[in-house]
């Protein structure tokens, strides 16, 4: 919402504004009462005095730190000199291939000539390969890699520049929403809509009003992010030859995603809030169990129900590749039952492969672009990498780390659930919905923990 719209809408209500200044405590422009003199709020509390200011400072600090990392990556993308070590290695490979080719020609001098070059007939019968994605193995690799290096650098530079602009907007929007009081305003709007349309009250029908609140926030977030998604897809990806989807397909995907958000996200949030409200002091244990079950549920339906709504999956045809993939899985004792090809080419020229399933029912999906861009040996190498993660237990360990993370997060949330001063600092001085309490916890107290853990995991993975 623009500031002018927010101001105009709020003037029609009985709630007044606070004047924003740099003196502590910082108070949002919009809050739920005229003076903030709620008898249950300790205005000397550390939560009340520091929460909003520290959240804004932390948000800006994270933005600046990540901006430094992005700038470092940007300088790497600006390099135009091909890496010397890689150049020496690839040049040696080319020399070995040339020597082997000459040796083969010499050994077969009296037999049918063997050539390393493709014939014109072969070129006519083969699909025109995209030079940006596929190497011609009949020619020296080094010149091809140097050409791809330049294109890859430019693609990375375009993406990092756009990402920095998008990150700047996201930070400005987030800070503006905090200072303007977007959350209390949106909740009051949802409560008013629930009362006017259905006769609900926020005390008796909190979960129902929370779903209206969530719908409003989701729609606003979708609208504000839409220009960036359109530019990324139809400008950057198209410029570099990767985008294949039409505008109609783009918006069709967007509508499907929104529908799934409401169909699955709505009941999920409603159950989560009910468990928190009905679970007593130990609600975090019940929430933990619920999230564990929900994670298993989503891991089951995403590849089998949700993903087929967006892409077509067909069994990989019988042939050498299918046989070799099953042999590779057998060597690693990976219980592969089905092998699919996904029509990823209708959206992008990027290629990928992934695995899913539980126990003795595992499946592998290959993008059709992967089959077009690389040879069988390369596909097996890619799958070997992914299967290696499974063999070493990385997938399972990541799942359990996530569950421990959720358990710890909701335990600490339970310790602050009754901190009315924390919520009052963000404008909720009359009524604090459970959903908003959860959002503010993850945005304030838990945000530093989340960022530090994310940074440490990134360091470890690299």
């Amino acid at each position: 919402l623009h500031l002018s719209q927010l101001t105009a809408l709020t003037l029609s209500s009985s709630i007044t504004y606070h004047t924003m200044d740099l003196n502590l405590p910082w108070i949002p422009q919009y809050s739920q009462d005229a003076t903030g003199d709620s008898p249950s709020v300790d205005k000397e509390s550390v939560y009340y005095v520091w929460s909003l200011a520290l959240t804004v400072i932390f948000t800006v600090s994270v933005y600046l730190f990540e901006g430094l990392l992005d700038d470092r990556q940007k300088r790497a993308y600006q390099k135009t000199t091909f890496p010397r070590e890689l150049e020496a290695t690839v040049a040696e490979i080319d020399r070995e291939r040339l020597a082997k080719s000459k040796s083969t020609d010499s050994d077969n001098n009296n037999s049918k000539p063997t050539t390393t070059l493709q014939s014109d007939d072969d070129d006519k019968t083969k699909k025109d390969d995209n030079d940006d994605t596929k190497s011609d193995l009949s020619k020296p690799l080094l010149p091809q890699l140097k050409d791809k290096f330049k294109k890859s650098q430019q693609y990375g530079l375009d993406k990092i520049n756009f990402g920095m602009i998008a990150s700047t907007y996201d930070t400005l929007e987030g800070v503006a929403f905090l200072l303007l009081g977007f959350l209390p305003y949106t909740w009051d709007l949802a409560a008013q809509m629930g009362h006017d349309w259905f006769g609900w009250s926020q005390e008796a029908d909190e979960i129902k009003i929370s779903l209206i609140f969530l719908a409003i926030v989701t729609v606003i977030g979708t609208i504000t992010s839409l220009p960036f998604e359109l530019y990324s897809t139809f400008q950057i990806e198209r410029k570099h030859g990767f985008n294949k989807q039409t505008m109609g397909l783009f918006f069709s995907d967007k509508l499907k995603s929104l529908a799934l958000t409401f169909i699955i996200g709505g009941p999920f949030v409603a159950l989560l809030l009910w468990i928190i409200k009905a679970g007593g002091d130990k609600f975090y244990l019940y929430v933990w169990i619920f999230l564990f079950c929900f994670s298993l549920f989503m891991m089951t339906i995403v590849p089998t129900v949700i993903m087929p709504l967006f892409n077509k999956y067909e069994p990989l045809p019988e042939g050498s590749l299918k046989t070799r993939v099953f042999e590779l899985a057998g060597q690693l004792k990976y219980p592969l039952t089905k092998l699919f090809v996904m029509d990823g080419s209708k959206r992008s020229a990027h290629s990928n492969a992934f695995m899913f399933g539980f126990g003795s029912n595992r499946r592998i999906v290959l993008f059709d672009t992967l089959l077009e861009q690389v040879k069988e040996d390369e596909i097996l190498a890619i799958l070997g990498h992914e299967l290696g993660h499974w063999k070493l237990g990385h997938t399972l360990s990541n799942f359990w780390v996530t569950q421990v993370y959720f358990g710890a997060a909701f335990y600490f949330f339970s310790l602050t659930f009754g901190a009315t001063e924390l919520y009052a600092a963000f404008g909720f001085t009359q009524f604090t919905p459970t959903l908003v309490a959860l959002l503010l916890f993850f945005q304030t107290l838990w945000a530093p923990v989340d960022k530090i853990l994310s940074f440490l995991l990134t360091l470890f993975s690299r």
Side-chain angles (χ1 to χ4, degrees):
L1 294 176
H2 295 293
L3 178 59
S4 58
Q5 293 174 302
L6 184 59
T7 303
L9 289 169
T10 309
L11 285 176
S12 63
S13 70
S14 59
I15 302 176
T16 62
Y17 286 95
H18 299 283
T19 300
M20 192 74 197
D21 58 44
L22 296 180
N23 296 323
L24 294 175
W26 291 8
I27 300 174
Q29 194 77 2
Y30 180 98
S31 62
Q32 288 185 327
D33 68 347
T35 63
D37 293 330
S38 174
S40 61
V41 175
D42 179 7
K43 300 179 72 172
E44 301 299 323
S45 167
V46 172
Y47 281 144
Y48 186 79
V49 174
W50 286 98
S51 290
L52 179 56
L54 289 180
T55 299
V56 171
I57 293 171
F58 178 76
T59 300
V60 175
S61 298
V62 169
Y63 162 75
L64 294 175
F65 176 70
E66 293 181 346
L68 290 175
L69 297 180
D70 287 340
D71 185 66
R72 179 184 176 186
Q73 184 64 46
K74 179 179 178 179
R75 290 197 299 270
Y77 283 133
Q78 289 173 330
K79 294 179 180 179
T80 57
T81 304
F82 195 79
R84 293 182 179 178
E85 296 84 355
L86 181 59
E87 182 175 6
T89 301
V90 177
E92 179 63 26
I93 293 174
D94 281 340
R95 285 192 293 270
E96 292 177 356
R97 293 172 67 238
L98 180 60
K100 184 177 180 180
S101 175
K102 290 181 177 180
S103 175
T104 301
D105 290 343
S106 176
D107 292 341
N108 296 280
N109 190 37
N110 296 324
S111 62
K112 184 178 179 179
T114 301
T115 179
T116 60
L117 296 177
Q118 294 179 346
S119 68
D120 292 338
D121 291 338
D122 289 339
D123 288 340
K124 291 178 181 178
T125 57
K126 289 188 176 182
K127 182 179 178 180
D128 183 27
D129 293 323
N130 188 337
D131 291 338
D132 292 338
T133 59
K134 189 171 184 177
S135 298
D136 186 347
L137 298 180
S138 66
K139 299 177 181 179
L141 294 177
L142 186 57
Q144 299 180 69
L145 288 182
K146 284 186 174 181
D147 181 60
K148 289 186 177 183
F149 172 76
K150 294 178 181 178
K151 295 175 180 178
S152 176
Q153 289 291 91
Q154 187 57 54
Y155 177 58
L157 187 60
D158 286 348
K159 288 190 67 176
I160 199 72
N161 284 333
F162 177 72
M164 294 172 74
I165 293 173
S167 177
T168 300
Y169 172 80
D170 288 340
T171 301
L172 291 174
E173 180 189 79
V175 171
F177 280 3
L178 287 172
L179 298 180
L180 292 174
F182 172 77
L183 288 180
Y185 173 80
T186 306
W187 175 262
D188 287 348
L189 176 62
Q192 188 64 45
M193 292 169 64
H195 179 269
D196 293 344
W197 296 353
F198 308 105
W200 296 341
S201 68
Q202 59 183 3
E203 290 81 7
D205 303 289
E206 179 188 335
I207 294 179
K208 298 175 184 176
I209 294 176
S210 294
L211 296 181
I212 298 177
F213 169 83
L214 187 62
I216 296 173
V217 171
T218 300
V219 171
I220 292 176
T222 300
I223 294 173
T224 57
S225 64
L226 191 59
F228 296 94
E229 294 180 17
L230 286 170
Y231 186 86
S232 175
T233 301
F234 293 100
Q235 179 58 35
I236 296 178
E237 295 295 307
R238 181 195 59 79
K239 173 184 175 182
H240 294 275
F242 294 119
N243 179 52
K244 303 298 181 182
Q245 66 178 320
T246 63
M247 193 70 73
L249 181 59
F250 175 87
F251 281 103
S252 173
D253 287 348
K254 188 63 61 179
L255 291 175
K256 289 179 183 178
S257 298
L258 278 175
L260 289 170
T261 298
F262 294 136
I263 293 172
I264 298 177
F268 166 77
V269 170
L271 278 172
L272 177 64
L273 296 180
W274 181 82
I275 293 172
I276 292 175
K277 295 176 71 66
D281 294 338
K282 304 294 184 181
F283 72 80
Y284 58 90
L285 293 176
Y286 306 114
V287 168
W288 197 6
I289 296 172
F290 169 67
L291 291 178
F292 175 79
C293 296
F294 185 76
S295 297
L296 295 179
F297 170 72
M298 290 303 296
M299 290 173 65
T300 302
I301 71 165
V302 165
T304 58
V305 177
I306 295 178
M307 292 178 63
L309 296 175
F310 296 88
N311 291 94
K312 185 192 304 182
Y313 294 82
E314 296 180 344
L316 180 68
E318 297 294 333
S320 172
L321 177 60
K322 185 173 184 178
T323 300
R324 296 178 70 186
V325 170
F326 272 94
E327 288 176 351
L328 176 63
Q331 292 174 8
L332 296 173
K333 294 183 172 53
Y334 180 78
L336 177 61
T337 57
K338 294 183 180 179
L339 189 56
F340 294 104
V341 178
M342 189 188 87
D343 61 339
S345 58
K346 74 177 184 179
R347 288 184 177 81
S348 173
H350 291 298
S351 58
N352 202 356
F354 62 90
M355 306 177 300
F356 65 93
F358 291 102
S360 60
N361 185 24
R362 305 275 181 163
R363 305 176 184 186
I364 290 178
V365 176
L366 306 174
F367 281 36
D368 56 356
T369 48
L370 186 67
L371 301 180
E372 296 171 358
Q373 294 169 6
V374 299
K375 306 295 184 182
E376 281 192 10
D377 288 342
E378 295 171 308
I379 293 176
L380 291 173
I382 294 170
L383 291 179
H385 172 85
E386 297 301 327
L387 289 168
H389 283 302
W390 173 83
K391 186 68 174 180
L392 295 174
H394 295 167
T395 304
L396 189 60
S397 61
N398 285 341
F399 174 79
W400 286 112
V401 166
T402 301
Q403 301 311 308
V404 172
Y405 170 86
F406 283 144
F410 277 93
Y411 169 73
F412 284 102
F413 171 65
S414 71
L415 301 180
T416 62
F417 187 35
T420 56
E421 290 80 11
L422 172 63
Y423 314 125
F426 293 89
F428 289 91
T429 53
Q430 286 186 344
F431 180 80
T432 304
T434 304
L435 177 60
V436 170
L438 190 59
L439 292 175
L440 289 177
F441 169 77
F442 280 100
Q443 193 172 8
T444 57
L445 300 179
W446 193 252
V449 178
D450 186 63
K451 287 296 182 181
I452 291 172
L453 286 177
S454 176
F455 182 70
L456 292 177
L457 288 174
T458 300
L459 285 177
F460 177 75
S461 66
R462 296 297 184 268

